[in-house]
């Protein structure tokens, strides 16, 4: 049988095999990966703790400078800015060496409410009279630096402990996203 075609067997089913198309994994440099990775959380945790430590150290330094080297001088209130928490008083005073300094004082005692023309006594740092100055009625701020150090420690220890407990879950989530097996 030269030109005859054999019929297909009933038992053989011709199917095309589908290959499962696996997409190329996303790059580890793609934001979707590193925003899900726990290392970013660790870096941000350390950065915020460092900011708290720097703020505490700046406050502690200014308080120490005024406590050890502060000079008292009479001042005149030139301007009063009452903006809630960011309230400040601008004062004019003369330093011991005769310089006239006009500066904002954020550490000002607000009882009674200051008015232009009041004459408070200020304490200033002789090396930086325009930047390190406070009202003499206000004591040194020793609580804020301590609070900032405690907050930085709690953030560092607590945040790191939480991250250690969930490190594998976060890393697997980032890797699943990278290989398109993620659910969100």
């Amino acid at each position: 049988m030269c030109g005859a075609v054999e019929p297909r067997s009933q038992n053989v089913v011709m199917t095309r095999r589908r290959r499962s198309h696996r997409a190329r994994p996303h790059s580890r440099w793609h934001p979707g990966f590193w925003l899900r990775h726990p290392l970013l959380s660790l870096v941000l945790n350390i950065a915020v703790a460092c900011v708290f430590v720097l703020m505490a150290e700046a406050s502690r330094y200014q308080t120490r400078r005024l406590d050890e080297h502060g000079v008292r001088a009479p001042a005149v209130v030139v301007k009063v800015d009452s903006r809630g928490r960011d309230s400040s008083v601008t004062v004019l005073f003369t330093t011991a060496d005769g310089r006239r300094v006009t500066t904002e004082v954020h550490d000002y005692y607000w009882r009674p409410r200051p008015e232009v023309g009041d004459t408070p006594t200020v304490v200033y740092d002789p090396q930086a009279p325009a930047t390190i100055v406070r009202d003499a009625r206000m004591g040194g701020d020793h609580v804020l630096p301590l609070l900032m150090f405690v907050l930085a420690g709690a953030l560092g220890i607590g945040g790191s402990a939480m991250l250690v407990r969930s490190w594998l879950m976060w890393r697997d989530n980032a890797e699943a996203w990278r290989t398109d097996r993620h659910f969100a």
Side-chain angles (χ1 to χ4, degrees), residues 48-170:
V48 169
C50 287
V51 166
F52 282 142
V53 167
L54 290 174
M55 287 172 51
E57 185 57 31
S59 179
R60 191 187 68 77
Y61 172 77
Q62 287 184 356
T63 299
R64 187 178 58 83
R65 287 291 300 173
L66 288 176
D67 288 346
E68 293 175 4
H69 306 289
V71 177
R72 292 177 177 264
V76 176
V77 175
V78 178
K79 181 179 162 189
V80 177
D81 280 331
S82 178
R83 292 175 275 158
R85 294 183 136 200
D86 295 331
S87 299
S88 66
V89 175
T90 304
V91 297
L92 171 69
F93 64 94
T94 305
T95 62
D97 60 356
R99 289 185 290 162
R100 291 177 57 104
V101 177
T102 303
T103 185
E104 281 189 18
V105 179
H106 295 282
D107 292 341
Y108 193 87
Y109 189 70
W110 280 78
R111 290 191 183 99
R113 186 173 171 81
E115 294 179 5
V116 175
D118 286 350
T119 56
T121 302
V122 294
V123 178
Y124 67 92
D125 182 7
Q127 291 182 348
T131 57
I132 303 178
V133 62
R134 75 171 178 233
D135 188 352
R137 297 173 289 181
M138 296 288 289
D141 192 8
H142 300 285
V143 175
L144 182 65
L146 180 63
L147 180 65
M148 290 293 206
F149 280 124
V150 167
L151 193 58
L155 182 68
I157 294 169
S160 298
M162 261 181 73
L163 190 59
V164 164
R165 290 189 65 185
S166 62
W167 183 275
L168 292 176
M169 179 193 68
W170 283 105

